[in-house]
Amino acid sequence: MKRPEQERVEEGHGEGPEARARLPVAPSMGPTLAEQRWPRSVEPVDGRVVFISGMAVLLALAAGLVAQGLGALIHLFTNIAFFGRLSTENLSPADHALGPWVIGVPVVGAVIVGFMARYGSRAIRGHGIPEAMEQVLYNQSRIPPRMTFLKPLSAAVAIGTGGPFGAEGPIIATGGALGSLLGQLLRVTADERKALLAAGAAAGMAATFGAPVSAVLLAVELLLFEYRPRSVIPVALATATATGVRMAFVGGAPAFAMPDLVAPSGSALAFYIVMGAVVGLASMGATKAVYAIEDAFEKLPLHWMWWPALGAVVVGAVGYFSPRTLGVGYTNIEDILSGRFVGAAMLLFCVMKFVSWSIALGSGTSGGTLAPLFTLGGGLGSGLGLLATRVAPQLGVDVRIAALVGMAAIFAGASRALLASVVFAFETTRQPMGLLPLLGGCSAAYLVSSLLMRHSIMTEKLARRGGRVLTEYGVDPLSQALVKDHAARQVVTLASERTLEDVRAWLGSGAEGTRHQGFPVVAPDGALLGVVTRRDLLDGAATDGRRVGELLKRPLAVAFEDSSLREAADLMVEEGVGRLPVVCRDAPTRVVGIVTRSDLLSAHRQRLENARRVEQGLRPTRQLAPRASHAG
């Protein structure tokens, strides 16, 4: 019967670096057991994903109810501020009878929001999505719990008193805050907390517009910064659940009803694509204008708490001359898309809306950007479409499709959320004939915006604070490269019984292999015992016949031939080493190679060549062979 020291624990997959295999070691050669550690095999989906998905569904139920509650709260404040009654009836501020006194209503609301920001949380300022992005990127998705009630309350006050914002931004921010709070109450990883935050935010958007697929895409493009099953599945289940909550309250009708569209002609499709590029320029202008106004407020010799009140003076004055600019204005979007609101009056309204919204947002009050952008883009698209019908009627342009493309294209250009913009316009109107124009127009806007503007309206604020936000996602090249293709096969090993005097003399000789920085140590029978570094060998005195095996103090970490370089790199980080002996799974004590940090860097050569090397077509393809690395 074998002693425990002679038994090797069978290998397991997905057990992490804590998994071990026990190897026999002579008492004079260091620890009584060398605990072998190997790369962790991460499964795309496991039991944790089921748990997080269940939490996401519960979170979505709460977010759906919060969305309905915020809508009712906005209606309550609207009724109080503009009609002097306690009611949650959905009335438009444009129907008020206050006359010039209407100018003061947004100012009162802005003063309240300013006090809430100063004495509650400054994070309630803005439209919510950049703030959520910041917490994901720089604070492990930890949002202060007080944001779960301060953000919706401040937004309800701002919008209910005439602020020209949509409710979706605050609802997205509130849903994200709920997800973050849940993730802080539970024992979860930072990645799982991020998934819960994104699930809550996406559920808020789905509960507002009944657009679950675009909400998932928005989460992927602006919050998750990845596309992995373990994060997408909880978000998708959350958006489906939140949409179900919305249907239970308001039914399944599209958010923006419009007459059925017909398939566009080729010439009309070309126009929509060109128009999308023009709207992309407009999205760039809108983004720069908002941040220029924000910069102007920063220069005022006045505490930032009072800035929203100054912006609200403009909101009230504009609202006096153009009452439709006050409040959420979802009906304005529907009227533009359906063709009921067109022509010069509509264009003038859009100009007034832009002035009111940009100044209010730049002043730092609480509100959303999606609805104002949709209004502006829809109005611009409608105007360009109407112009095309009069100047070139042979193109067959439909003003309603032009408005739909404009609505989505301005968001695609301003936010760089291309797929979310296309699918959102489809889900909120249920018009399949608009999909092709939407794809062309939004892609053109996305191209123009990416060429001419370094940051989006969502990331500019983070960039100004010194952050760097990239929204380009690709498969990690290290995850696709295998250790066996990049590890060195000629390994210089040291016998455990060899004396330090002998090894130091060999290192000083300059012979082949002496310049390596690390050496696997093997037993007399060739079994791998551990790794020593050049520093280990040269530090201290080499007296009394000390042997190499006595320097082995840390558990042995190895990589398998079929491990990915990503798994090997993760193990290097976890163990704090710069190299890993490579072994076979069926013989984990036999060294067949060694992989080092330089090998990880060399694995990126193919990616760089693919991105930078311009080749002539119709030529034989040259395969880039893995670089022969050294064992140091």
Side-chain angles (χ1 to χ4, degrees), residues 446-459:
Y446 184 81
L447 172 63
V448 169
S449 173
S450 299
L451 283 174
L452 301 180
M453 189 168 58
R454 185 173 183 181
H455 304 291
S456 72
I457 198 170
M458 304 299 179
T459 62

Side-chain angles (χ1 to χ4, degrees), residues 21-199:
R22 298 175 180 174
L23 302 174
V25 181
S28 61
M29 295 297 113
T32 57
L33 289 176
E35 298 173 322
Q36 185 170 327
R37 306 191 180 194
W38 50 75
R40 173 172 48 190
S41 299
V42 179
E43 299 296 335
V45 176
D46 54 21
R48 292 292 299 178
V49 177
V50 177
F51 171 71
I52 296 299
S53 297
M55 294 298 100
V57 169
L58 296 178
L59 175 65
L61 292 172
L65 295 175
V66 168
Q68 298 302 318
L70 179 57
L73 198 59
I74 291 173
H75 298 157
L76 174 63
F77 286 133
T78 299
N79 277 274
I80 294 174
F82 290 95
F83 303 101
R85 61 179 184 175
L86 289 174
S87 173
T88 57
E89 183 181 357
N90 185 9
L91 297 179
S92 171
D95 298 327
H96 71 85
L98 297 176
W101 291 104
V102 73
I103 298 175
V105 175
V107 176
V108 173
V111 170
I112 297 173
V113 171
F115 272 93
M116 292 179 67
R118 181 171 183 179
Y119 299 106
S121 174
R122 187 170 181 173
I124 66 172
R125 305 172 72 222
H127 49 98
I129 296 180
E131 289 75 20
M133 294 172 69
E134 183 176 28
Q135 299 306 316
V136 168
L137 290 170
Y138 307 120
N139 197 30
Q140 295 187 322
S141 304
R142 296 180 183 273
I143 297 177
R146 60 181 180 274
M147 286 294 294
T148 57
F149 64 90
L150 283 178
K151 185 63 178 180
L153 182 59
S154 63
V157 171
I159 300 171
T161 54
F165 306 108
E168 67 290 328
I171 292 175
I172 291 173
T174 304
L178 282 172
S180 175
L181 177 60
L182 180 60
Q184 293 175 68
L185 295 175
L186 300 173
R187 288 181 57 86
V188 297
T189 66
D191 280 353
E192 291 170 337
R193 191 182 307 114
K194 178 177 68 173
L196 289 173
L197 185 154

